[in-house]
Amino acid sequence: QVQLVESGGGLVQPGGSLRLSCAASRIFFSIMGWYRQAPGKERDLVATVTSGGSTNYADSVRGRFTISRDNANSTVYLQMNSLKPEDTAVYYCYVVRWGVDYWGKGTLVTVSS
């Protein structure tokens, strides 16, 4: 059974920073990453990282967000800097194992003054 535990969401002012964490079951995942869903919108890719360290970012966050993972502890992080109000969304942890997707329950990030 795959369990994903997300943490790090909250309220931050524009220009601020947050770090999200997702601790997964201590098994191998080929891909780990984050998606987000803003109110009234579809769930979109934020960033992913493979077990080998290759990363992929949405254009809207490239240069501001950094994804990383700790393979030994099956944990993925998302460092979010220079946050904007349009980054407000529920952020979902996402992992892939043997071609099967697993999702966390989500953590809310609100960027507002």
Side-chain angles (χ1 to χ4, degrees), residues 4-5 7 19-24 31-34 47-49 67-71 73-78 93-95:
L4 304 176
V5 180
S7 61
R19 189 190 194 209
L20 304 183
S21 300
C22 175
I31 298 172
M32 304 183 79
W34 296 89
T48 59
V49 57
I67 191 169
S68 60
R69 64 186 281 175
D70 177 351
N71 287 328
N73 294 301
S74 295
T75 302
V76 61
Y77 305 95
L78 186 69
C93 181
Y94 163 80
V95 299

mmCIF file with all atom_site columns, all heavy atoms in Angstrom, residues 4-5 7 19-24 31-34 47-49 67-71 73-78 93-95:
data_model
loop_
_atom_site.group_PDB
_atom_site.id
_atom_site.type_symbol
_atom_site.label_atom_id
_atom_site.label_alt_id
_atom_site.label_comp_id
_atom_site.label_asym_id
_atom_site.label_entity_id
_atom_site.label_seq_id
_atom_site.pdbx_PDB_ins_code
_atom_site.Cartn_x
_atom_site.Cartn_y
_atom_site.Cartn_z
_atom_site.occupancy
_atom_site.B_iso_or_equiv
_atom_site.pdbx_formal_charge
_atom_site.auth_seq_id
_atom_site.auth_comp_id
_atom_site.auth_asym_id
_atom_site.auth_atom_id
_atom_site.pdbx_PDB_model_num
ATOM 1   N N   . LEU A 1 4  ? 1.219  8.509  0.942   1.00 0.00 ? 4  LEU A N   1
ATOM 2   C CA  . LEU A 1 4  ? 1.914  9.763  0.683   1.00 0.00 ? 4  LEU A CA  1
ATOM 3   C C   . LEU A 1 4  ? 1.484  10.773 1.736   1.00 0.00 ? 4  LEU A C   1
ATOM 4   O O   . LEU A 1 4  ? 0.289  11.028 1.902   1.00 0.00 ? 4  LEU A O   1
ATOM 5   C CB  . LEU A 1 4  ? 1.574  10.294 -0.710  1.00 0.00 ? 4  LEU A CB  1
ATOM 6   C CG  . LEU A 1 4  ? 1.857  9.344  -1.870  1.00 0.00 ? 4  LEU A CG  1
ATOM 7   C CD1 . LEU A 1 4  ? 1.376  9.947  -3.183  1.00 0.00 ? 4  LEU A CD1 1
ATOM 8   C CD2 . LEU A 1 4  ? 3.339  9.019  -1.952  1.00 0.00 ? 4  LEU A CD2 1
ATOM 9   N N   . VAL A 1 5  ? 2.452  11.349 2.425   1.00 0.00 ? 5  VAL A N   1
ATOM 10  C CA  . VAL A 1 5  ? 2.161  12.322 3.475   1.00 0.00 ? 5  VAL A CA  1
ATOM 11  C C   . VAL A 1 5  ? 2.789  13.655 3.087   1.00 0.00 ? 5  VAL A C   1
ATOM 12  O O   . VAL A 1 5  ? 4.016  13.786 3.059   1.00 0.00 ? 5  VAL A O   1
ATOM 13  C CB  . VAL A 1 5  ? 2.699  11.855 4.839   1.00 0.00 ? 5  VAL A CB  1
ATOM 14  C CG1 . VAL A 1 5  ? 2.392  12.890 5.906   1.00 0.00 ? 5  VAL A CG1 1
ATOM 15  C CG2 . VAL A 1 5  ? 2.101  10.500 5.198   1.00 0.00 ? 5  VAL A CG2 1
ATOM 16  N N   . SER A 1 7  ? 3.337  17.859 3.442   1.00 0.00 ? 7  SER A N   1
ATOM 17  C CA  . SER A 1 7  ? 3.401  18.900 4.465   1.00 0.00 ? 7  SER A CA  1
ATOM 18  C C   . SER A 1 7  ? 4.045  20.143 3.879   1.00 0.00 ? 7  SER A C   1
ATOM 19  O O   . SER A 1 7  ? 4.677  20.075 2.809   1.00 0.00 ? 7  SER A O   1
ATOM 20  C CB  . SER A 1 7  ? 4.202  18.418 5.680   1.00 0.00 ? 7  SER A CB  1
ATOM 21  O OG  . SER A 1 7  ? 5.528  18.099 5.312   1.00 0.00 ? 7  SER A OG  1
ATOM 22  N N   . ARG A 1 19 ? 8.318  25.614 1.372   1.00 0.00 ? 19 ARG A N   1
ATOM 23  C CA  . ARG A 1 19 ? 8.898  24.335 0.965   1.00 0.00 ? 19 ARG A CA  1
ATOM 24  C C   . ARG A 1 19 ? 7.902  23.228 1.269   1.00 0.00 ? 19 ARG A C   1
ATOM 25  O O   . ARG A 1 19 ? 7.508  23.043 2.420   1.00 0.00 ? 19 ARG A O   1
ATOM 26  C CB  . ARG A 1 19 ? 10.202 24.061 1.708   1.00 0.00 ? 19 ARG A CB  1
ATOM 27  C CG  . ARG A 1 19 ? 10.960 22.859 1.178   1.00 0.00 ? 19 ARG A CG  1
ATOM 28  C CD  . ARG A 1 19 ? 12.104 22.499 2.097   1.00 0.00 ? 19 ARG A CD  1
ATOM 29  N NE  . ARG A 1 19 ? 13.051 21.583 1.474   1.00 0.00 ? 19 ARG A NE  1
ATOM 30  C CZ  . ARG A 1 19 ? 13.786 20.714 2.149   1.00 0.00 ? 19 ARG A CZ  1
ATOM 31  N NH1 . ARG A 1 19 ? 13.677 20.640 3.466   1.00 0.00 ? 19 ARG A NH1 1
ATOM 32  N NH2 . ARG A 1 19 ? 14.643 19.932 1.516   1.00 0.00 ? 19 ARG A NH2 1
ATOM 33  N N   . LEU A 1 20 ? 7.520  22.514 0.236   1.00 0.00 ? 20 LEU A N   1
ATOM 34  C CA  . LEU A 1 20 ? 6.620  21.380 0.395   1.00 0.00 ? 20 LEU A CA  1
ATOM 35  C C   . LEU A 1 20 ? 7.437  20.090 0.482   1.00 0.00 ? 20 LEU A C   1
ATOM 36  O O   . LEU A 1 20 ? 8.470  19.960 -0.168  1.00 0.00 ? 20 LEU A O   1
ATOM 37  C CB  . LEU A 1 20 ? 5.651  21.281 -0.780  1.00 0.00 ? 20 LEU A CB  1
ATOM 38  C CG  . LEU A 1 20 ? 4.799  22.511 -1.087  1.00 0.00 ? 20 LEU A CG  1
ATOM 39  C CD1 . LEU A 1 20 ? 3.839  22.200 -2.240  1.00 0.00 ? 20 LEU A CD1 1
ATOM 40  C CD2 . LEU A 1 20 ? 4.042  22.977 0.132   1.00 0.00 ? 20 LEU A CD2 1
ATOM 41  N N   . SER A 1 21 ? 6.928  19.172 1.274   1.00 0.00 ? 21 SER A N   1
ATOM 42  C CA  . SER A 1 21 ? 7.546  17.853 1.399   1.00 0.00 ? 21 SER A CA  1
ATOM 43  C C   . SER A 1 21 ? 6.487  16.781 1.209   1.00 0.00 ? 21 SER A C   1
ATOM 44  O O   . SER A 1 21 ? 5.331  16.973 1.575   1.00 0.00 ? 21 SER A O   1
ATOM 45  C CB  . SER A 1 21 ? 8.188  17.677 2.775   1.00 0.00 ? 21 SER A CB  1
ATOM 46  O OG  . SER A 1 21 ? 9.191  18.626 3.008   1.00 0.00 ? 21 SER A OG  1
ATOM 47  N N   . CYS A 1 22 ? 6.907  15.667 0.662   1.00 0.00 ? 22 CYS A N   1
ATOM 48  C CA  . CYS A 1 22 ? 6.024  14.516 0.507   1.00 0.00 ? 22 CYS A CA  1
ATOM 49  C C   . CYS A 1 22 ? 6.821  13.270 0.835   1.00 0.00 ? 22 CYS A C   1
ATOM 50  O O   . CYS A 1 22 ? 7.752  12.925 0.099   1.00 0.00 ? 22 CYS A O   1
ATOM 51  C CB  . CYS A 1 22 ? 5.458  14.446 -0.899  1.00 0.00 ? 22 CYS A CB  1
ATOM 52  S SG  . CYS A 1 22 ? 4.476  12.971 -1.225  1.00 0.00 ? 22 CYS A SG  1
ATOM 53  N N   . ALA A 1 23 ? 6.443  12.633 1.922   1.00 0.00 ? 23 ALA A N   1
ATOM 54  C CA  . ALA A 1 23 ? 7.096  11.401 2.339   1.00 0.00 ? 23 ALA A CA  1
ATOM 55  C C   . ALA A 1 23 ? 6.256  10.220 1.869   1.00 0.00 ? 23 ALA A C   1
ATOM 56  O O   . ALA A 1 23 ? 5.081  10.098 2.237   1.00 0.00 ? 23 ALA A O   1
ATOM 57  C CB  . ALA A 1 23 ? 7.250  11.383 3.855   1.00 0.00 ? 23 ALA A CB  1
ATOM 58  N N   . ALA A 1 24 ? 6.866  9.397  1.060   1.00 0.00 ? 24 ALA A N   1
ATOM 59  C CA  . ALA A 1 24 ? 6.159  8.243  0.514   1.00 0.00 ? 24 ALA A CA  1
ATOM 60  C C   . ALA A 1 24 ? 6.592  6.971  1.251   1.00 0.00 ? 24 ALA A C   1
ATOM 61  O O   . ALA A 1 24 ? 7.555  6.986  2.002   1.00 0.00 ? 24 ALA A O   1
ATOM 62  C CB  . ALA A 1 24 ? 6.461  8.112  -0.968  1.00 0.00 ? 24 ALA A CB  1
ATOM 63  N N   . ILE A 1 31 ? 9.225  7.942  -10.751 1.00 0.00 ? 31 ILE A N   1
ATOM 64  C CA  . ILE A 1 31 ? 8.983  9.374  -10.892 1.00 0.00 ? 31 ILE A CA  1
ATOM 65  C C   . ILE A 1 31 ? 8.297  9.880  -9.618  1.00 0.00 ? 31 ILE A C   1
ATOM 66  O O   . ILE A 1 31 ? 7.412  9.218  -9.079  1.00 0.00 ? 31 ILE A O   1
ATOM 67  C CB  . ILE A 1 31 ? 8.089  9.688  -12.111 1.00 0.00 ? 31 ILE A CB  1
ATOM 68  C CG1 . ILE A 1 31 ? 8.773  9.245  -13.399 1.00 0.00 ? 31 ILE A CG1 1
ATOM 69  C CG2 . ILE A 1 31 ? 7.747  11.178 -12.187 1.00 0.00 ? 31 ILE A CG2 1
ATOM 70  C CD1 . ILE A 1 31 ? 7.893  9.338  -14.627 1.00 0.00 ? 31 ILE A CD1 1
ATOM 71  N N   . MET A 1 32 ? 8.720  11.034 -9.174  1.00 0.00 ? 32 MET A N   1
ATOM 72  C CA  . MET A 1 32 ? 8.064  11.730 -8.058  1.00 0.00 ? 32 MET A CA  1
ATOM 73  C C   . MET A 1 32 ? 7.862  13.176 -8.480  1.00 0.00 ? 32 MET A C   1
ATOM 74  O O   . MET A 1 32 ? 8.681  13.725 -9.232  1.00 0.00 ? 32 MET A O   1
ATOM 75  C CB  . MET A 1 32 ? 8.900  11.660 -6.777  1.00 0.00 ? 32 MET A CB  1
ATOM 76  C CG  . MET A 1 32 ? 9.247  10.248 -6.336  1.00 0.00 ? 32 MET A CG  1
ATOM 77  S SD  . MET A 1 32 ? 10.159 10.178 -4.771  1.00 0.00 ? 32 MET A SD  1
ATOM 78  C CE  . MET A 1 32 ? 8.797  10.413 -3.595  1.00 0.00 ? 32 MET A CE  1
ATOM 79  N N   . GLY A 1 33 ? 6.800  13.784 -7.992  1.00 0.00 ? 33 GLY A N   1
ATOM 80  C CA  . GLY A 1 33 ? 6.589  15.162 -8.390  1.00 0.00 ? 33 GLY A CA  1
ATOM 81  C C   . GLY A 1 33 ? 5.398  15.802 -7.740  1.00 0.00 ? 33 GLY A C   1
ATOM 82  O O   . GLY A 1 33 ? 4.855  15.286 -6.751  1.00 0.00 ? 33 GLY A O   1
ATOM 83  N N   . TRP A 1 34 ? 5.034  16.941 -8.324  1.00 0.00 ? 34 TRP A N   1
ATOM 84  C CA  . TRP A 1 34 ? 3.940  17.750 -7.785  1.00 0.00 ? 34 TRP A CA  1
ATOM 85  C C   . TRP A 1 34 ? 3.052  18.253 -8.917  1.00 0.00 ? 34 TRP A C   1
ATOM 86  O O   . TRP A 1 34 ? 3.552  18.656 -9.970  1.00 0.00 ? 34 TRP A O   1
ATOM 87  C CB  . TRP A 1 34 ? 4.494  18.953 -7.018  1.00 0.00 ? 34 TRP A CB  1
ATOM 88  C CG  . TRP A 1 34 ? 5.290  18.592 -5.816  1.00 0.00 ? 34 TRP A CG  1
ATOM 89  C CD1 . TRP A 1 34 ? 6.628  18.350 -5.766  1.00 0.00 ? 34 TRP A CD1 1
ATOM 90  C CD2 . TRP A 1 34 ? 4.805  18.407 -4.495  1.00 0.00 ? 34 TRP A CD2 1
ATOM 91  N NE1 . TRP A 1 34 ? 6.998  18.021 -4.485  1.00 0.00 ? 34 TRP A NE1 1
ATOM 92  C CE2 . TRP A 1 34 ? 5.897  18.055 -3.684  1.00 0.00 ? 34 TRP A CE2 1
ATOM 93  C CE3 . TRP A 1 34 ? 3.539  18.508 -3.905  1.00 0.00 ? 34 TRP A CE3 1
ATOM 94  C CZ2 . TRP A 1 34 ? 5.768  17.811 -2.319  1.00 0.00 ? 34 TRP A CZ2 1
ATOM 95  C CZ3 . TRP A 1 34 ? 3.411  18.268 -2.549  1.00 0.00 ? 34 TRP A CZ3 1
ATOM 96  C CH2 . TRP A 1 34 ? 4.518  17.917 -1.772  1.00 0.00 ? 34 TRP A CH2 1
ATOM 97  N N   . ALA A 1 47 ? 6.015  20.116 -11.361 1.00 0.00 ? 47 ALA A N   1
ATOM 98  C CA  . ALA A 1 47 ? 7.378  19.632 -11.580 1.00 0.00 ? 47 ALA A CA  1
ATOM 99  C C   . ALA A 1 47 ? 7.455  18.154 -11.258 1.00 0.00 ? 47 ALA A C   1
ATOM 100 O O   . ALA A 1 47 ? 6.708  17.655 -10.410 1.00 0.00 ? 47 ALA A O   1
ATOM 101 C CB  . ALA A 1 47 ? 8.380  20.394 -10.708 1.00 0.00 ? 47 ALA A CB  1
ATOM 102 N N   . THR A 1 48 ? 8.364  17.472 -11.965 1.00 0.00 ? 48 THR A N   1
ATOM 103 C CA  . THR A 1 48 ? 8.641  16.068 -11.671 1.00 0.00 ? 48 THR A CA  1
ATOM 104 C C   . THR A 1 48 ? 10.147 15.842 -11.662 1.00 0.00 ? 48 THR A C   1
ATOM 105 O O   . THR A 1 48 ? 10.910 16.611 -12.264 1.00 0.00 ? 48 THR A O   1
ATOM 106 C CB  . THR A 1 48 ? 7.996  15.118 -12.694 1.00 0.00 ? 48 THR A CB  1
ATOM 107 O OG1 . THR A 1 48 ? 8.502  15.435 -13.992 1.00 0.00 ? 48 THR A OG1 1
ATOM 108 C CG2 . THR A 1 48 ? 6.488  15.214 -12.681 1.00 0.00 ? 48 THR A CG2 1
ATOM 109 N N   . VAL A 1 49 ? 10.537 14.757 -11.000 1.00 0.00 ? 49 VAL A N   1
ATOM 110 C CA  . VAL A 1 49 ? 11.946 14.366 -10.972 1.00 0.00 ? 49 VAL A CA  1
ATOM 111 C C   . VAL A 1 49 ? 12.015 12.851 -11.032 1.00 0.00 ? 49 VAL A C   1
ATOM 112 O O   . VAL A 1 49 ? 11.252 12.147 -10.354 1.00 0.00 ? 49 VAL A O   1
ATOM 113 C CB  . VAL A 1 49 ? 12.651 14.922 -9.709  1.00 0.00 ? 49 VAL A CB  1
ATOM 114 C CG1 . VAL A 1 49 ? 11.976 14.466 -8.432  1.00 0.00 ? 49 VAL A CG1 1
ATOM 115 C CG2 . VAL A 1 49 ? 14.127 14.550 -9.715  1.00 0.00 ? 49 VAL A CG2 1
ATOM 116 N N   . ILE A 1 67 ? 12.597 21.337 -7.615  1.00 0.00 ? 67 ILE A N   1
ATOM 117 C CA  . ILE A 1 67 ? 12.186 20.034 -7.116  1.00 0.00 ? 67 ILE A CA  1
ATOM 118 C C   . ILE A 1 67 ? 13.427 19.202 -6.819  1.00 0.00 ? 67 ILE A C   1
ATOM 119 O O   . ILE A 1 67 ? 14.436 19.292 -7.530  1.00 0.00 ? 67 ILE A O   1
ATOM 120 C CB  . ILE A 1 67 ? 11.260 19.304 -8.113  1.00 0.00 ? 67 ILE A CB  1
ATOM 121 C CG1 . ILE A 1 67 ? 10.623 18.077 -7.466  1.00 0.00 ? 67 ILE A CG1 1
ATOM 122 C CG2 . ILE A 1 67 ? 12.002 18.941 -9.403  1.00 0.00 ? 67 ILE A CG2 1
ATOM 123 C CD1 . ILE A 1 67 ? 9.499  17.472 -8.288  1.00 0.00 ? 67 ILE A CD1 1
ATOM 124 N N   . SER A 1 68 ? 13.341 18.415 -5.762  1.00 0.00 ? 68 SER A N   1
ATOM 125 C CA  . SER A 1 68 ? 14.434 17.513 -5.417  1.00 0.00 ? 68 SER A CA  1
ATOM 126 C C   . SER A 1 68 ? 13.845 16.283 -4.729  1.00 0.00 ? 68 SER A C   1
ATOM 127 O O   . SER A 1 68 ? 12.688 16.303 -4.286  1.00 0.00 ? 68 SER A O   1
ATOM 128 C CB  . SER A 1 68 ? 15.450 18.212 -4.506  1.00 0.00 ? 68 SER A CB  1
ATOM 129 O OG  . SER A 1 68 ? 14.837 18.633 -3.300  1.00 0.00 ? 68 SER A OG  1
ATOM 130 N N   . ARG A 1 69 ? 14.659 15.240 -4.644  1.00 0.00 ? 69 ARG A N   1
ATOM 131 C CA  . ARG A 1 69 ? 14.170 14.027 -3.988  1.00 0.00 ? 69 ARG A CA  1
ATOM 132 C C   . ARG A 1 69 ? 15.285 13.358 -3.212  1.00 0.00 ? 69 ARG A C   1
ATOM 133 O O   . ARG A 1 69 ? 16.464 13.473 -3.556  1.00 0.00 ? 69 ARG A O   1
ATOM 134 C CB  . ARG A 1 69 ? 13.560 13.066 -4.995  1.00 0.00 ? 69 ARG A CB  1
ATOM 135 C CG  . ARG A 1 69 ? 14.506 12.501 -6.022  1.00 0.00 ? 69 ARG A CG  1
ATOM 136 C CD  . ARG A 1 69 ? 13.758 11.673 -7.068  1.00 0.00 ? 69 ARG A CD  1
ATOM 137 N NE  . ARG A 1 69 ? 13.429 10.345 -6.584  1.00 0.00 ? 69 ARG A NE  1
ATOM 138 C CZ  . ARG A 1 69 ? 12.695 9.467  -7.272  1.00 0.00 ? 69 ARG A CZ  1
ATOM 139 N NH1 . ARG A 1 69 ? 12.206 9.790  -8.459  1.00 0.00 ? 69 ARG A NH1 1
ATOM 140 N NH2 . ARG A 1 69 ? 12.437 8.273  -6.772  1.00 0.00 ? 69 ARG A NH2 1
ATOM 141 N N   . ASP A 1 70 ? 14.876 12.663 -2.180  1.00 0.00 ? 70 ASP A N   1
ATOM 142 C CA  . ASP A 1 70 ? 15.767 11.856 -1.369  1.00 0.00 ? 70 ASP A CA  1
ATOM 143 C C   . ASP A 1 70 ? 15.369 10.407 -1.616  1.00 0.00 ? 70 ASP A C   1
ATOM 144 O O   . ASP A 1 70 ? 14.370 9.929  -1.075  1.00 0.00 ? 70 ASP A O   1
ATOM 145 C CB  . ASP A 1 70 ? 15.611 12.247 0.101   1.00 0.00 ? 70 ASP A CB  1
ATOM 146 C CG  . ASP A 1 70 ? 16.453 11.418 1.046   1.00 0.00 ? 70 ASP A CG  1
ATOM 147 O OD1 . ASP A 1 70 ? 17.040 10.408 0.598   1.00 0.00 ? 70 ASP A OD1 1
ATOM 148 O OD2 . ASP A 1 70 ? 16.520 11.765 2.225   1.00 0.00 ? 70 ASP A OD2 1
ATOM 149 N N   . ASN A 1 71 ? 16.119 9.720  -2.432  1.00 0.00 ? 71 ASN A N   1
ATOM 150 C CA  . ASN A 1 71 ? 15.746 8.360  -2.803  1.00 0.00 ? 71 ASN A CA  1
ATOM 151 C C   . ASN A 1 71 ? 15.787 7.407  -1.608  1.00 0.00 ? 71 ASN A C   1
ATOM 152 O O   . ASN A 1 71 ? 14.964 6.491  -1.507  1.00 0.00 ? 71 ASN A O   1
ATOM 153 C CB  . ASN A 1 71 ? 16.654 7.843  -3.917  1.00 0.00 ? 71 ASN A CB  1
ATOM 154 C CG  . ASN A 1 71 ? 16.347 8.492  -5.251  1.00 0.00 ? 71 ASN A CG  1
ATOM 155 O OD1 . ASN A 1 71 ? 15.208 8.848  -5.542  1.00 0.00 ? 71 ASN A OD1 1
ATOM 156 N ND2 . ASN A 1 71 ? 17.370 8.659  -6.076  1.00 0.00 ? 71 ASN A ND2 1
ATOM 157 N N   . ASN A 1 73 ? 14.973 7.905  1.366   1.00 0.00 ? 73 ASN A N   1
ATOM 158 C CA  . ASN A 1 73 ? 13.801 8.043  2.224   1.00 0.00 ? 73 ASN A CA  1
ATOM 159 C C   . ASN A 1 73 ? 12.511 8.222  1.439   1.00 0.00 ? 73 ASN A C   1
ATOM 160 O O   . ASN A 1 73 ? 11.463 8.492  2.028   1.00 0.00 ? 73 ASN A O   1
ATOM 161 C CB  . ASN A 1 73 ? 13.993 9.234  3.171   1.00 0.00 ? 73 ASN A CB  1
ATOM 162 C CG  . ASN A 1 73 ? 15.105 9.003  4.161   1.00 0.00 ? 73 ASN A CG  1
ATOM 163 O OD1 . ASN A 1 73 ? 15.069 8.047  4.928   1.00 0.00 ? 73 ASN A OD1 1
ATOM 164 N ND2 . ASN A 1 73 ? 16.122 9.862  4.133   1.00 0.00 ? 73 ASN A ND2 1
ATOM 165 N N   . SER A 1 74 ? 12.586 8.054  0.112   1.00 0.00 ? 74 SER A N   1
ATOM 166 C CA  . SER A 1 74 ? 11.400 8.189  -0.741  1.00 0.00 ? 74 SER A CA  1
ATOM 167 C C   . SER A 1 74 ? 10.641 9.477  -0.444  1.00 0.00 ? 74 SER A C   1
ATOM 168 O O   . SER A 1 74 ? 9.420  9.470  -0.231  1.00 0.00 ? 74 SER A O   1
ATOM 169 C CB  . SER A 1 74 ? 10.478 6.978  -0.566  1.00 0.00 ? 74 SER A CB  1
ATOM 170 O OG  . SER A 1 74 ? 11.105 5.801  -1.013  1.00 0.00 ? 74 SER A OG  1
ATOM 171 N N   . THR A 1 75 ? 11.366 10.557 -0.407  1.00 0.00 ? 75 THR A N   1
ATOM 172 C CA  . THR A 1 75 ? 10.775 11.859 -0.115  1.00 0.00 ? 75 THR A CA  1
ATOM 173 C C   . THR A 1 75 ? 11.067 12.814 -1.266  1.00 0.00 ? 75 THR A C   1
ATOM 174 O O   . THR A 1 75 ? 12.182 12.828 -1.792  1.00 0.00 ? 75 THR A O   1
ATOM 175 C CB  . THR A 1 75 ? 11.326 12.431 1.192   1.00 0.00 ? 75 THR A CB  1
ATOM 176 O OG1 . THR A 1 75 ? 11.057 11.516 2.263   1.00 0.00 ? 75 THR A OG1 1
ATOM 177 C CG2 . THR A 1 75 ? 10.676 13.770 1.522   1.00 0.00 ? 75 THR A CG2 1
ATOM 178 N N   . VAL A 1 76 ? 10.063 13.587 -1.622  1.00 0.00 ? 76 VAL A N   1
ATOM 179 C CA  . VAL A 1 76 ? 10.234 14.589 -2.663  1.00 0.00 ? 76 VAL A CA  1
ATOM 180 C C   . VAL A 1 76 ? 9.908  15.956 -2.077  1.00 0.00 ? 76 VAL A C   1
ATOM 181 O O   . VAL A 1 76 ? 9.001  16.092 -1.241  1.00 0.00 ? 76 VAL A O   1
ATOM 182 C CB  . VAL A 1 76 ? 9.355  14.282 -3.900  1.00 0.00 ? 76 VAL A CB  1
ATOM 183 C CG1 . VAL A 1 76 ? 7.869  14.275 -3.554  1.00 0.00 ? 76 VAL A CG1 1
ATOM 184 C CG2 . VAL A 1 76 ? 9.649  15.247 -5.041  1.00 0.00 ? 76 VAL A CG2 1
ATOM 185 N N   . TYR A 1 77 ? 10.682 16.949 -2.501  1.00 0.00 ? 77 TYR A N   1
ATOM 186 C CA  . TYR A 1 77 ? 10.543 18.308 -1.996  1.00 0.00 ? 77 TYR A CA  1
ATOM 187 C C   . TYR A 1 77 ? 10.253 19.269 -3.150  1.00 0.00 ? 77 TYR A C   1
ATOM 188 O O   . TYR A 1 77 ? 10.662 19.032 -4.287  1.00 0.00 ? 77 TYR A O   1
ATOM 189 C CB  . TYR A 1 77 ? 11.829 18.758 -1.300  1.00 0.00 ? 77 TYR A CB  1
ATOM 190 C CG  . TYR A 1 77 ? 12.287 17.850 -0.196  1.00 0.00 ? 77 TYR A CG  1
ATOM 191 C CD1 . TYR A 1 77 ? 13.238 16.858 -0.441  1.00 0.00 ? 77 TYR A CD1 1
ATOM 192 C CD2 . TYR A 1 77 ? 11.768 17.968 1.091   1.00 0.00 ? 77 TYR A CD2 1
ATOM 193 C CE1 . TYR A 1 77 ? 13.667 16.013 0.575   1.00 0.00 ? 77 TYR A CE1 1
ATOM 194 C CE2 . TYR A 1 77 ? 12.189 17.125 2.108   1.00 0.00 ? 77 TYR A CE2 1
ATOM 195 C CZ  . TYR A 1 77 ? 13.134 16.144 1.840   1.00 0.00 ? 77 TYR A CZ  1
ATOM 196 O OH  . TYR A 1 77 ? 13.550 15.324 2.848   1.00 0.00 ? 77 TYR A OH  1
ATOM 197 N N   . LEU A 1 78 ? 9.580  20.355 -2.801  1.00 0.00 ? 78 LEU A N   1
ATOM 198 C CA  . LEU A 1 78 ? 9.374  21.428 -3.765  1.00 0.00 ? 78 LEU A CA  1
ATOM 199 C C   . LEU A 1 78 ? 9.672  22.745 -3.056  1.00 0.00 ? 78 LEU A C   1
ATOM 200 O O   . LEU A 1 78 ? 8.900  23.173 -2.195  1.00 0.00 ? 78 LEU A O   1
ATOM 201 C CB  . LEU A 1 78 ? 7.947  21.423 -4.310  1.00 0.00 ? 78 LEU A CB  1
ATOM 202 C CG  . LEU A 1 78 ? 7.685  22.433 -5.430  1.00 0.00 ? 78 LEU A CG  1
ATOM 203 C CD1 . LEU A 1 78 ? 8.439  22.031 -6.701  1.00 0.00 ? 78 LEU A CD1 1
ATOM 204 C CD2 . LEU A 1 78 ? 6.186  22.548 -5.733  1.00 0.00 ? 78 LEU A CD2 1
ATOM 205 N N   . CYS A 1 93 ? 1.026  15.764 -4.203  1.00 0.00 ? 93 CYS A N   1
ATOM 206 C CA  . CYS A 1 93 ? 2.186  14.905 -4.425  1.00 0.00 ? 93 CYS A CA  1
ATOM 207 C C   . CYS A 1 93 ? 1.798  13.797 -5.401  1.00 0.00 ? 93 CYS A C   1
ATOM 208 O O   . CYS A 1 93 ? 0.663  13.270 -5.343  1.00 0.00 ? 93 CYS A O   1
ATOM 209 C CB  . CYS A 1 93 ? 2.631  14.325 -3.094  1.00 0.00 ? 93 CYS A CB  1
ATOM 210 S SG  . CYS A 1 93 ? 4.074  13.250 -3.196  1.00 0.00 ? 93 CYS A SG  1
ATOM 211 N N   . TYR A 1 94 ? 2.726  13.423 -6.240  1.00 0.00 ? 94 TYR A N   1
ATOM 212 C CA  . TYR A 1 94 ? 2.475  12.451 -7.315  1.00 0.00 ? 94 TYR A CA  1
ATOM 213 C C   . TYR A 1 94 ? 3.678  11.533 -7.435  1.00 0.00 ? 94 TYR A C   1
ATOM 214 O O   . TYR A 1 94 ? 4.818  12.008 -7.504  1.00 0.00 ? 94 TYR A O   1
ATOM 215 C CB  . TYR A 1 94 ? 2.251  13.236 -8.608  1.00 0.00 ? 94 TYR A CB  1
ATOM 216 C CG  . TYR A 1 94 ? 2.361  12.465 -9.889  1.00 0.00 ? 94 TYR A CG  1
ATOM 217 C CD1 . TYR A 1 94 ? 1.310  11.679 -10.341 1.00 0.00 ? 94 TYR A CD1 1
ATOM 218 C CD2 . TYR A 1 94 ? 3.493  12.571 -10.695 1.00 0.00 ? 94 TYR A CD2 1
ATOM 219 C CE1 . TYR A 1 94 ? 1.391  11.003 -11.547 1.00 0.00 ? 94 TYR A CE1 1
ATOM 220 C CE2 . TYR A 1 94 ? 3.583  11.892 -11.896 1.00 0.00 ? 94 TYR A CE2 1
ATOM 221 C CZ  . TYR A 1 94 ? 2.527  11.116 -12.314 1.00 0.00 ? 94 TYR A CZ  1
ATOM 222 O OH  . TYR A 1 94 ? 2.601  10.449 -13.505 1.00 0.00 ? 94 TYR A OH  1
ATOM 223 N N   . VAL A 1 95 ? 3.429  10.235 -7.436  1.00 0.00 ? 95 VAL A N   1
ATOM 224 C CA  . VAL A 1 95 ? 4.516  9.283  -7.620  1.00 0.00 ? 95 VAL A CA  1
ATOM 225 C C   . VAL A 1 95 ? 4.079  8.196  -8.588  1.00 0.00 ? 95 VAL A C   1
ATOM 226 O O   . VAL A 1 95 ? 2.886  7.936  -8.754  1.00 0.00 ? 95 VAL A O   1
ATOM 227 C CB  . VAL A 1 95 ? 4.961  8.644  -6.276  1.00 0.00 ? 95 VAL A CB  1
ATOM 228 C CG1 . VAL A 1 95 ? 5.476  9.709  -5.323  1.00 0.00 ? 95 VAL A CG1 1
ATOM 229 C CG2 . VAL A 1 95 ? 3.836  7.845  -5.647  1.00 0.00 ? 95 VAL A CG2 1
#
